[in-house]
PDB file of all heavy atoms in Angstrom:
ATOM      1  N   LEU A 732       0.834  -1.197  -0.006  1.00  0.00           N
ATOM      2  CA  LEU A 732      -0.001   0.015   0.001  1.00  0.00           C
ATOM      3  C   LEU A 732       0.886   1.269  -0.017  1.00  0.00           C
ATOM      4  O   LEU A 732       0.559   2.212  -0.707  1.00  0.00           O
ATOM      5  CB  LEU A 732      -0.903   0.005   1.238  1.00  0.00           C
ATOM      6  CG  LEU A 732      -2.034  -1.049   1.222  1.00  0.00           C
ATOM      7  CD1 LEU A 732      -2.713  -1.127   2.590  1.00  0.00           C
ATOM      8  CD2 LEU A 732      -3.034  -0.831   0.151  1.00  0.00           C
ATOM      9  N   TYR A 733       1.963   1.242   0.778  1.00  0.00           N
ATOM     10  CA  TYR A 733       2.841   2.393   0.818  1.00  0.00           C
ATOM     11  C   TYR A 733       3.479   2.618  -0.499  1.00  0.00           C
ATOM     12  O   TYR A 733       3.576   3.784  -1.034  1.00  0.00           O
ATOM     13  CB  TYR A 733       3.973   2.093   1.852  1.00  0.00           C
ATOM     14  CG  TYR A 733       5.054   3.172   1.916  1.00  0.00           C
ATOM     15  CD1 TYR A 733       4.859   4.330   2.624  1.00  0.00           C
ATOM     16  CD2 TYR A 733       6.278   3.005   1.265  1.00  0.00           C
ATOM     17  CE1 TYR A 733       5.802   5.306   2.659  1.00  0.00           C
ATOM     18  CE2 TYR A 733       7.193   3.971   1.293  1.00  0.00           C
ATOM     19  CZ  TYR A 733       7.012   5.124   2.008  1.00  0.00           C
ATOM     20  OH  TYR A 733       7.993   6.104   2.046  1.00  0.00           O
ATOM     21  N   ALA A 734       3.848   1.541  -1.268  1.00  0.00           N
ATOM     22  CA  ALA A 734       4.427   1.701  -2.641  1.00  0.00           C
ATOM     23  C   ALA A 734       3.431   2.297  -3.571  1.00  0.00           C
ATOM     24  O   ALA A 734       3.866   2.924  -4.542  1.00  0.00           O
ATOM     25  CB  ALA A 734       4.916   0.308  -3.047  1.00  0.00           C
ATOM     26  N   PHE A 735       2.168   2.113  -3.350  1.00  0.00           N
ATOM     27  CA  PHE A 735       1.139   2.716  -4.214  1.00  0.00           C
ATOM     28  C   PHE A 735       0.692   4.133  -3.734  1.00  0.00           C
ATOM     29  O   PHE A 735      -0.167   4.702  -4.313  1.00  0.00           O
ATOM     30  CB  PHE A 735      -0.136   1.823  -4.296  1.00  0.00           C
ATOM     31  CG  PHE A 735       0.036   0.670  -5.248  1.00  0.00           C
ATOM     32  CD1 PHE A 735       0.225  -0.620  -4.822  1.00  0.00           C
ATOM     33  CD2 PHE A 735      -0.018   0.967  -6.629  1.00  0.00           C
ATOM     34  CE1 PHE A 735       0.385  -1.612  -5.683  1.00  0.00           C
ATOM     35  CE2 PHE A 735       0.160  -0.146  -7.542  1.00  0.00           C
ATOM     36  CZ  PHE A 735       0.342  -1.405  -7.090  1.00  0.00           C
ATOM     37  N   GLY A 736       1.342   4.677  -2.734  1.00  0.00           N
ATOM     38  CA  GLY A 736       1.086   5.994  -2.318  1.00  0.00           C
ATOM     39  C   GLY A 736       0.199   6.174  -1.100  1.00  0.00           C
ATOM     40  O   GLY A 736      -0.146   7.360  -0.742  1.00  0.00           O
ATOM     41  N   PHE A 737      -0.271   5.067  -0.508  1.00  0.00           N
ATOM     42  CA  PHE A 737      -1.135   5.200   0.648  1.00  0.00           C
ATOM     43  C   PHE A 737      -0.373   5.411   1.902  1.00  0.00           C
ATOM     44  O   PHE A 737       0.751   4.890   2.042  1.00  0.00           O
ATOM     45  CB  PHE A 737      -1.981   3.919   0.811  1.00  0.00           C
ATOM     46  CG  PHE A 737      -2.992   3.733  -0.285  1.00  0.00           C
ATOM     47  CD1 PHE A 737      -2.720   2.933  -1.334  1.00  0.00           C
ATOM     48  CD2 PHE A 737      -4.255   4.285  -0.186  1.00  0.00           C
ATOM     49  CE1 PHE A 737      -3.678   2.749  -2.349  1.00  0.00           C
ATOM     50  CE2 PHE A 737      -5.228   4.143  -1.097  1.00  0.00           C
ATOM     51  CZ  PHE A 737      -4.890   3.352  -2.241  1.00  0.00           C
ATOM     52  N   GLU A 738      -0.869   6.181   2.843  1.00  0.00           N
ATOM     53  CA  GLU A 738      -0.244   6.433   4.160  1.00  0.00           C
ATOM     54  C   GLU A 738      -0.459   5.197   5.033  1.00  0.00           C
ATOM     55  O   GLU A 738      -1.556   4.691   5.111  1.00  0.00           O
ATOM     56  CB  GLU A 738      -0.746   7.694   4.792  1.00  0.00           C
ATOM     57  CG  GLU A 738      -0.395   8.981   4.066  1.00  0.00           C
ATOM     58  CD  GLU A 738      -0.846  10.193   4.885  1.00  0.00           C
ATOM     59  OE1 GLU A 738      -1.316  10.021   6.027  1.00  0.00           O
ATOM     60  OE2 GLU A 738      -0.703  11.319   4.291  1.00  0.00           O
ATOM     61  N   ILE A 739       0.587   4.789   5.681  1.00  0.00           N
ATOM     62  CA  ILE A 739       0.490   3.622   6.594  1.00  0.00           C
ATOM     63  C   ILE A 739       1.116   4.042   7.921  1.00  0.00           C
ATOM     64  O   ILE A 739       1.922   4.940   7.980  1.00  0.00           O
ATOM     65  CB  ILE A 739       1.072   2.359   6.059  1.00  0.00           C
ATOM     66  CG1 ILE A 739       2.678   2.623   5.861  1.00  0.00           C
ATOM     67  CG2 ILE A 739       0.526   1.953   4.738  1.00  0.00           C
ATOM     68  CD1 ILE A 739       3.418   1.378   5.518  1.00  0.00           C
ATOM     69  N   VAL A 740       0.688   3.362   8.990  1.00  0.00           N
ATOM     70  CA  VAL A 740       1.089   3.689  10.336  1.00  0.00           C
ATOM     71  C   VAL A 740       2.532   3.110  10.590  1.00  0.00           C
ATOM     72  O   VAL A 740       3.397   3.719  11.228  1.00  0.00           O
ATOM     73  CB  VAL A 740       0.145   3.185  11.392  1.00  0.00           C
ATOM     74  CG1 VAL A 740       0.666   3.443  12.770  1.00  0.00           C
ATOM     75  CG2 VAL A 740      -1.209   3.854  11.185  1.00  0.00           C
ATOM     76  N   SER A 741       2.690   1.891  10.157  1.00  0.00           N
ATOM     77  CA  SER A 741       4.000   1.234  10.453  1.00  0.00           C
ATOM     78  C   SER A 741       5.071   1.617   9.486  1.00  0.00           C
ATOM     79  O   SER A 741       4.841   2.262   8.470  1.00  0.00           O
ATOM     80  CB  SER A 741       3.743  -0.338  10.283  1.00  0.00           C
ATOM     81  OG  SER A 741       3.284  -0.654   8.948  1.00  0.00           O
ATOM     82  N   GLN A 742       6.291   1.268   9.873  1.00  0.00           N
ATOM     83  CA  GLN A 742       7.456   1.600   9.031  1.00  0.00           C
ATOM     84  C   GLN A 742       7.419   0.660   7.787  1.00  0.00           C
ATOM     85  O   GLN A 742       7.444  -0.563   7.955  1.00  0.00           O
ATOM     86  CB  GLN A 742       8.745   1.385   9.805  1.00  0.00           C
ATOM     87  CG  GLN A 742       9.999   1.614   9.054  1.00  0.00           C
ATOM     88  CD  GLN A 742      10.238   3.115   8.689  1.00  0.00           C
ATOM     89  OE1 GLN A 742       9.718   4.006   9.333  1.00  0.00           O
ATOM     90  NE2 GLN A 742      11.007   3.384   7.641  1.00  0.00           N
ATOM     91  N   PRO A 743       7.421   1.121   6.576  1.00  0.00           N
ATOM     92  CA  PRO A 743       7.465   0.296   5.396  1.00  0.00           C
ATOM     93  C   PRO A 743       8.766  -0.435   5.266  1.00  0.00           C
ATOM     94  O   PRO A 743       9.810   0.142   5.583  1.00  0.00           O
ATOM     95  CB  PRO A 743       7.218   1.251   4.220  1.00  0.00           C
ATOM     96  CG  PRO A 743       7.717   2.589   4.727  1.00  0.00           C
ATOM     97  CD  PRO A 743       7.426   2.595   6.217  1.00  0.00           C
ATOM     98  N   ARG A 744       8.726  -1.687   4.802  1.00  0.00           N
ATOM     99  CA  ARG A 744       9.917  -2.454   4.664  1.00  0.00           C
ATOM    100  C   ARG A 744      10.114  -2.782   3.180  1.00  0.00           C
ATOM    101  O   ARG A 744       9.188  -3.222   2.441  1.00  0.00           O
ATOM    102  CB  ARG A 744       9.804  -3.851   5.415  1.00  0.00           C
ATOM    103  CG  ARG A 744       9.771  -3.609   6.947  1.00  0.00           C
ATOM    104  CD  ARG A 744       9.714  -4.970   7.622  1.00  0.00           C
ATOM    105  NE  ARG A 744      10.828  -5.772   7.324  1.00  0.00           N
ATOM    106  CZ  ARG A 744      12.016  -5.783   8.032  1.00  0.00           C
ATOM    107  NH1 ARG A 744      12.093  -4.946   9.070  1.00  0.00           N
ATOM    108  NH2 ARG A 744      12.988  -6.548   7.709  1.00  0.00           N
ATOM    109  N   SER A 745      11.369  -2.591   2.726  1.00  0.00           N
ATOM    110  CA  SER A 745      11.692  -2.842   1.334  1.00  0.00           C
ATOM    111  C   SER A 745      12.175  -4.262   1.208  1.00  0.00           C
ATOM    112  O   SER A 745      12.457  -4.979   2.186  1.00  0.00           O
ATOM    113  CB  SER A 745      12.747  -1.828   0.831  1.00  0.00           C
ATOM    114  OG  SER A 745      13.854  -1.915   1.640  1.00  0.00           O
ATOM    115  N   LEU A 746      12.378  -4.686  -0.084  1.00  0.00           N
ATOM    116  CA  LEU A 746      12.944  -6.069  -0.349  1.00  0.00           C
ATOM    117  C   LEU A 746      14.376  -6.147   0.179  1.00  0.00           C
ATOM    118  O   LEU A 746      15.074  -5.174   0.191  1.00  0.00           O
ATOM    119  CB  LEU A 746      13.011  -6.270  -1.789  1.00  0.00           C
ATOM    120  CG  LEU A 746      11.642  -6.652  -2.564  1.00  0.00           C
ATOM    121  CD1 LEU A 746      11.955  -6.745  -4.075  1.00  0.00           C
ATOM    122  CD2 LEU A 746      11.168  -7.988  -2.086  1.00  0.00           C
ATOM    123  N   PRO A 747      14.818  -7.349   0.572  1.00  0.00           N
ATOM    124  CA  PRO A 747      16.207  -7.601   0.758  1.00  0.00           C
ATOM    125  C   PRO A 747      16.976  -7.386  -0.460  1.00  0.00           C
ATOM    126  O   PRO A 747      16.424  -7.554  -1.618  1.00  0.00           O
ATOM    127  CB  PRO A 747      16.260  -9.046   1.238  1.00  0.00           C
ATOM    128  CG  PRO A 747      14.863  -9.418   1.635  1.00  0.00           C
ATOM    129  CD  PRO A 747      13.961  -8.538   0.851  1.00  0.00           C
ATOM    130  N   ALA A 748      18.281  -7.058  -0.377  1.00  0.00           N
ATOM    131  CA  ALA A 748      19.065  -6.727  -1.562  1.00  0.00           C
ATOM    132  C   ALA A 748      19.099  -7.895  -2.553  1.00  0.00           C
ATOM    133  O   ALA A 748      19.003  -7.627  -3.807  1.00  0.00           O
ATOM    134  CB  ALA A 748      20.461  -6.428  -1.124  1.00  0.00           C
ATOM    135  N   HIS A 749      19.208  -9.123  -2.084  1.00  0.00           N
ATOM    136  CA  HIS A 749      19.330 -10.224  -3.085  1.00  0.00           C
ATOM    137  C   HIS A 749      18.041 -10.342  -3.900  1.00  0.00           C
ATOM    138  O   HIS A 749      18.126 -10.766  -5.072  1.00  0.00           O
ATOM    139  CB  HIS A 749      19.641 -11.546  -2.380  1.00  0.00           C
ATOM    140  CG  HIS A 749      18.526 -12.142  -1.547  1.00  0.00           C
ATOM    141  ND1 HIS A 749      17.576 -12.988  -2.090  1.00  0.00           N
ATOM    142  CD2 HIS A 749      18.132 -11.930  -0.267  1.00  0.00           C
ATOM    143  CE1 HIS A 749      16.697 -13.328  -1.155  1.00  0.00           C
ATOM    144  NE2 HIS A 749      16.982 -12.687   0.013  1.00  0.00           N
ATOM    145  N   ALA A 750      16.926 -10.002  -3.307  1.00  0.00           N
ATOM    146  CA  ALA A 750      15.644 -10.053  -4.023  1.00  0.00           C
ATOM    147  C   ALA A 750      15.563  -8.910  -5.065  1.00  0.00           C
ATOM    148  O   ALA A 750      14.986  -9.037  -6.155  1.00  0.00           O
ATOM    149  CB  ALA A 750      14.455 -10.002  -3.067  1.00  0.00           C
ATOM    150  N   VAL A 751      16.124  -7.737  -4.709  1.00  0.00           N
ATOM    151  CA  VAL A 751      16.221  -6.664  -5.638  1.00  0.00           C
ATOM    152  C   VAL A 751      16.970  -7.046  -6.877  1.00  0.00           C
ATOM    153  O   VAL A 751      16.534  -6.858  -8.060  1.00  0.00           O
ATOM    154  CB  VAL A 751      16.923  -5.406  -4.988  1.00  0.00           C
ATOM    155  CG1 VAL A 751      17.195  -4.374  -6.068  1.00  0.00           C
ATOM    156  CG2 VAL A 751      16.069  -4.846  -3.907  1.00  0.00           C
ATOM    157  N   PHE A 752      18.093  -7.774  -6.682  1.00  0.00           N
ATOM    158  CA  PHE A 752      18.932  -8.117  -7.863  1.00  0.00           C
ATOM    159  C   PHE A 752      18.255  -9.225  -8.655  1.00  0.00           C
ATOM    160  O   PHE A 752      18.336  -9.232  -9.919  1.00  0.00           O
ATOM    161  CB  PHE A 752      20.292  -8.713  -7.395  1.00  0.00           C
ATOM    162  CG  PHE A 752      21.026  -7.684  -6.465  1.00  0.00           C
ATOM    163  CD1 PHE A 752      21.716  -8.054  -5.305  1.00  0.00           C
ATOM    164  CD2 PHE A 752      21.040  -6.253  -6.778  1.00  0.00           C
ATOM    165  CE1 PHE A 752      22.376  -7.201  -4.494  1.00  0.00           C
ATOM    166  CE2 PHE A 752      21.671  -5.381  -5.964  1.00  0.00           C
ATOM    167  CZ  PHE A 752      22.367  -5.836  -4.796  1.00  0.00           C
ATOM    168  N   LEU A 753      17.469 -10.083  -8.085  1.00  0.00           N
ATOM    169  CA  LEU A 753      16.742 -11.075  -8.747  1.00  0.00           C
ATOM    170  C   LEU A 753      15.731 -10.440  -9.665  1.00  0.00           C
ATOM    171  O   LEU A 753      15.419 -10.830 -10.847  1.00  0.00           O
ATOM    172  CB  LEU A 753      16.058 -12.056  -7.829  1.00  0.00           C
ATOM    173  CG  LEU A 753      16.945 -13.176  -7.217  1.00  0.00           C
ATOM    174  CD1 LEU A 753      16.226 -13.885  -6.083  1.00  0.00           C
ATOM    175  CD2 LEU A 753      17.342 -14.112  -8.328  1.00  0.00           C
ATOM    176  N   ARG A 754      14.991  -9.380  -9.105  1.00  0.00           N
ATOM    177  CA  ARG A 754      13.991  -8.726  -9.952  1.00  0.00           C
ATOM    178  C   ARG A 754      14.615  -7.964 -11.095  1.00  0.00           C
ATOM    179  O   ARG A 754      14.010  -7.833 -12.181  1.00  0.00           O
ATOM    180  CB  ARG A 754      13.153  -7.793  -9.050  1.00  0.00           C
ATOM    181  CG  ARG A 754      12.248  -8.642  -8.081  1.00  0.00           C
ATOM    182  CD  ARG A 754      11.220  -7.784  -7.336  1.00  0.00           C
ATOM    183  NE  ARG A 754      10.310  -8.597  -6.586  1.00  0.00           N
ATOM    184  CZ  ARG A 754       9.287  -8.208  -5.890  1.00  0.00           C
ATOM    185  NH1 ARG A 754       9.073  -6.889  -5.839  1.00  0.00           N
ATOM    186  NH2 ARG A 754       8.529  -9.055  -5.247  1.00  0.00           N
ATOM    187  N   LEU A 755      15.808  -7.397 -10.795  1.00  0.00           N
ATOM    188  CA  LEU A 755      16.502  -6.593 -11.902  1.00  0.00           C
ATOM    189  C   LEU A 755      16.853  -7.613 -13.073  1.00  0.00           C
ATOM    190  O   LEU A 755      16.776  -7.221 -14.235  1.00  0.00           O
ATOM    191  CB  LEU A 755      17.751  -5.980 -11.350  1.00  0.00           C
ATOM    192  CG  LEU A 755      17.515  -4.768 -10.442  1.00  0.00           C
ATOM    193  CD1 LEU A 755      18.826  -4.358  -9.876  1.00  0.00           C
ATOM    194  CD2 LEU A 755      16.882  -3.629 -11.204  1.00  0.00           C
ATOM    195  N   GLU A 756      17.219  -8.780 -12.694  1.00  0.00           N
ATOM    196  CA  GLU A 756      17.569  -9.816 -13.702  1.00  0.00           C
ATOM    197  C   GLU A 756      16.368 -10.093 -14.622  1.00  0.00           C
ATOM    198  O   GLU A 756      16.538 -10.393 -15.836  1.00  0.00           O
ATOM    199  CB  GLU A 756      18.043 -11.079 -13.093  1.00  0.00           C
ATOM    200  CG  GLU A 756      18.541 -12.129 -14.026  1.00  0.00           C
ATOM    201  CD  GLU A 756      19.038 -13.396 -13.358  1.00  0.00           C
ATOM    202  OE1 GLU A 756      18.980 -13.450 -12.070  1.00  0.00           O
ATOM    203  OE2 GLU A 756      19.419 -14.325 -14.063  1.00  0.00           O
ATOM    204  N   LYS A 757      15.208  -9.942 -14.150  1.00  0.00           N
ATOM    205  CA  LYS A 757      13.967 -10.217 -14.893  1.00  0.00           C
ATOM    206  C   LYS A 757      13.419  -8.991 -15.609  1.00  0.00           C
ATOM    207  O   LYS A 757      12.596  -9.117 -16.492  1.00  0.00           O
ATOM    208  CB  LYS A 757      12.896 -10.756 -14.002  1.00  0.00           C
ATOM    209  CG  LYS A 757      13.265 -12.079 -13.296  1.00  0.00           C
ATOM    210  CD  LYS A 757      12.192 -12.515 -12.315  1.00  0.00           C
ATOM    211  CE  LYS A 757      12.583 -13.752 -11.605  1.00  0.00           C
ATOM    212  NZ  LYS A 757      11.574 -14.211 -10.594  1.00  0.00           N
ATOM    213  N   THR A 758      13.943  -7.778 -15.281  1.00  0.00           N
ATOM    214  CA  THR A 758      13.343  -6.537 -15.795  1.00  0.00           C
ATOM    215  C   THR A 758      14.272  -5.619 -16.553  1.00  0.00           C
ATOM    216  O   THR A 758      13.810  -4.854 -17.361  1.00  0.00           O
ATOM    217  CB  THR A 758      12.696  -5.756 -14.674  1.00  0.00           C
ATOM    218  OG1 THR A 758      13.702  -5.532 -13.656  1.00  0.00           O
ATOM    219  CG2 THR A 758      11.515  -6.514 -14.006  1.00  0.00           C
ATOM    220  N   ILE A 759      15.618  -5.707 -16.322  1.00  0.00           N
ATOM    221  CA  ILE A 759      16.530  -4.740 -16.869  1.00  0.00           C
ATOM    222  C   ILE A 759      17.274  -5.441 -18.067  1.00  0.00           C
ATOM    223  O   ILE A 759      17.971  -6.426 -17.877  1.00  0.00           O
ATOM    224  CB  ILE A 759      17.525  -4.210 -15.894  1.00  0.00           C
ATOM    225  CG1 ILE A 759      16.791  -3.502 -14.747  1.00  0.00           C
ATOM    226  CG2 ILE A 759      18.583  -3.314 -16.520  1.00  0.00           C
ATOM    227  CD1 ILE A 759      16.026  -2.254 -15.151  1.00  0.00           C
ATOM    228  N   PRO A 760      17.160  -4.913 -19.301  1.00  0.00           N
ATOM    229  CA  PRO A 760      17.902  -5.525 -20.390  1.00  0.00           C
ATOM    230  C   PRO A 760      19.394  -5.525 -20.157  1.00  0.00           C
ATOM    231  O   PRO A 760      20.035  -4.537 -19.699  1.00  0.00           O
ATOM    232  CB  PRO A 760      17.582  -4.522 -21.560  1.00  0.00           C
ATOM    233  CG  PRO A 760      16.298  -3.913 -21.206  1.00  0.00           C
ATOM    234  CD  PRO A 760      16.305  -3.762 -19.721  1.00  0.00           C
ATOM    235  N   GLY A 761      20.049  -6.669 -20.461  1.00  0.00           N
ATOM    236  CA  GLY A 761      21.477  -6.781 -20.256  1.00  0.00           C
ATOM    237  C   GLY A 761      21.922  -7.244 -18.877  1.00  0.00           C
ATOM    238  O   GLY A 761      23.083  -7.565 -18.659  1.00  0.00           O
ATOM    239  N   PHE A 762      20.984  -7.110 -17.898  1.00  0.00           N
ATOM    240  CA  PHE A 762      21.290  -7.508 -16.476  1.00  0.00           C
ATOM    241  C   PHE A 762      20.978  -8.970 -16.376  1.00  0.00           C
ATOM    242  O   PHE A 762      19.821  -9.342 -16.152  1.00  0.00           O
ATOM    243  CB  PHE A 762      20.489  -6.599 -15.543  1.00  0.00           C
ATOM    244  CG  PHE A 762      20.910  -6.714 -14.083  1.00  0.00           C
ATOM    245  CD1 PHE A 762      21.717  -5.750 -13.547  1.00  0.00           C
ATOM    246  CD2 PHE A 762      20.589  -7.789 -13.322  1.00  0.00           C
ATOM    247  CE1 PHE A 762      22.126  -5.850 -12.212  1.00  0.00           C
ATOM    248  CE2 PHE A 762      20.989  -7.955 -11.991  1.00  0.00           C
ATOM    249  CZ  PHE A 762      21.769  -6.957 -11.458  1.00  0.00           C
ATOM    250  N   GLY A 763      22.043  -9.787 -16.410  1.00  0.00           N
ATOM    251  CA  GLY A 763      21.786 -11.259 -16.399  1.00  0.00           C
ATOM    252  C   GLY A 763      22.382 -11.902 -15.149  1.00  0.00           C
ATOM    253  O   GLY A 763      22.594 -11.231 -14.165  1.00  0.00           O
ATOM    254  N   LYS A 764      22.644 -13.169 -15.205  1.00  0.00           N
ATOM    255  CA  LYS A 764      23.062 -13.961 -14.083  1.00  0.00           C
ATOM    256  C   LYS A 764      24.467 -13.491 -13.660  1.00  0.00           C
ATOM    257  O   LYS A 764      24.724 -13.350 -12.474  1.00  0.00           O
ATOM    258  CB  LYS A 764      23.138 -15.454 -14.507  1.00  0.00           C
ATOM    259  CG  LYS A 764      23.636 -16.358 -13.377  1.00  0.00           C
ATOM    260  CD  LYS A 764      23.492 -17.807 -13.859  1.00  0.00           C
ATOM    261  CE  LYS A 764      23.918 -18.746 -12.729  1.00  0.00           C
ATOM    262  NZ  LYS A 764      25.389 -18.796 -12.530  1.00  0.00           N
ATOM    263  N   VAL A 765      25.343 -13.214 -14.595  1.00  0.00           N
ATOM    264  CA  VAL A 765      26.691 -12.744 -14.202  1.00  0.00           C
ATOM    265  C   VAL A 765      26.655 -11.428 -13.477  1.00  0.00           C
ATOM    266  O   VAL A 765      27.372 -11.232 -12.437  1.00  0.00           O
ATOM    267  CB  VAL A 765      27.592 -12.588 -15.451  1.00  0.00           C
ATOM    268  CG1 VAL A 765      28.924 -11.972 -15.121  1.00  0.00           C
ATOM    269  CG2 VAL A 765      27.784 -13.937 -16.135  1.00  0.00           C
ATOM    270  N   GLN A 766      25.798 -10.494 -13.928  1.00  0.00           N
ATOM    271  CA  GLN A 766      25.736  -9.148 -13.233  1.00  0.00           C
ATOM    272  C   GLN A 766      25.086  -9.371 -11.821  1.00  0.00           C
ATOM    273  O   GLN A 766      25.514  -8.715 -10.903  1.00  0.00           O
ATOM    274  CB  GLN A 766      24.839  -8.269 -14.087  1.00  0.00           C
ATOM    275  CG  GLN A 766      25.562  -7.784 -15.428  1.00  0.00           C
ATOM    276  CD  GLN A 766      25.630  -8.812 -16.474  1.00  0.00           C
ATOM    277  OE1 GLN A 766      24.842  -9.765 -16.469  1.00  0.00           O
ATOM    278  NE2 GLN A 766      26.591  -8.707 -17.375  1.00  0.00           N
ATOM    279  N   ARG A 767      24.026 -10.208 -11.798  1.00  0.00           N
ATOM    280  CA  ARG A 767      23.384 -10.411 -10.541  1.00  0.00           C
ATOM    281  C   ARG A 767      24.429 -11.025  -9.531  1.00  0.00           C
ATOM    282  O   ARG A 767      24.402 -10.683  -8.327  1.00  0.00           O
ATOM    283  CB  ARG A 767      22.212 -11.366 -10.660  1.00  0.00           C
ATOM    284  CG  ARG A 767      21.546 -11.766  -9.367  1.00  0.00           C
ATOM    285  CD  ARG A 767      20.278 -12.614  -9.558  1.00  0.00           C
ATOM    286  NE  ARG A 767      20.505 -13.806 -10.292  1.00  0.00           N
ATOM    287  CZ  ARG A 767      21.042 -14.916  -9.816  1.00  0.00           C
ATOM    288  NH1 ARG A 767      21.503 -14.991  -8.537  1.00  0.00           N
ATOM    289  NH2 ARG A 767      21.205 -15.988 -10.560  1.00  0.00           N
ATOM    290  N   GLU A 768      25.184 -11.991  -9.958  1.00  0.00           N
ATOM    291  CA  GLU A 768      26.134 -12.621  -9.023  1.00  0.00           C
ATOM    292  C   GLU A 768      27.139 -11.644  -8.501  1.00  0.00           C
ATOM    293  O   GLU A 768      27.551 -11.745  -7.282  1.00  0.00           O
ATOM    294  CB  GLU A 768      26.811 -13.759  -9.786  1.00  0.00           C
ATOM    295  CG  GLU A 768      25.883 -14.958  -9.975  1.00  0.00           C
ATOM    296  CD  GLU A 768      26.557 -16.105 -10.751  1.00  0.00           C
ATOM    297  OE1 GLU A 768      27.564 -15.857 -11.384  1.00  0.00           O
ATOM    298  OE2 GLU A 768      25.987 -17.244 -10.712  1.00  0.00           O
TER     299      GLU A 768
END
């Protein structure tokens, strides 16, 4: 909900770094397994 712009009471938590890199591998052209590693 926070990511969509809604106000929330609790502290929002982002993804762990390794999950960020996994998502980049699926979404960013040229960012593959070697770059993720």
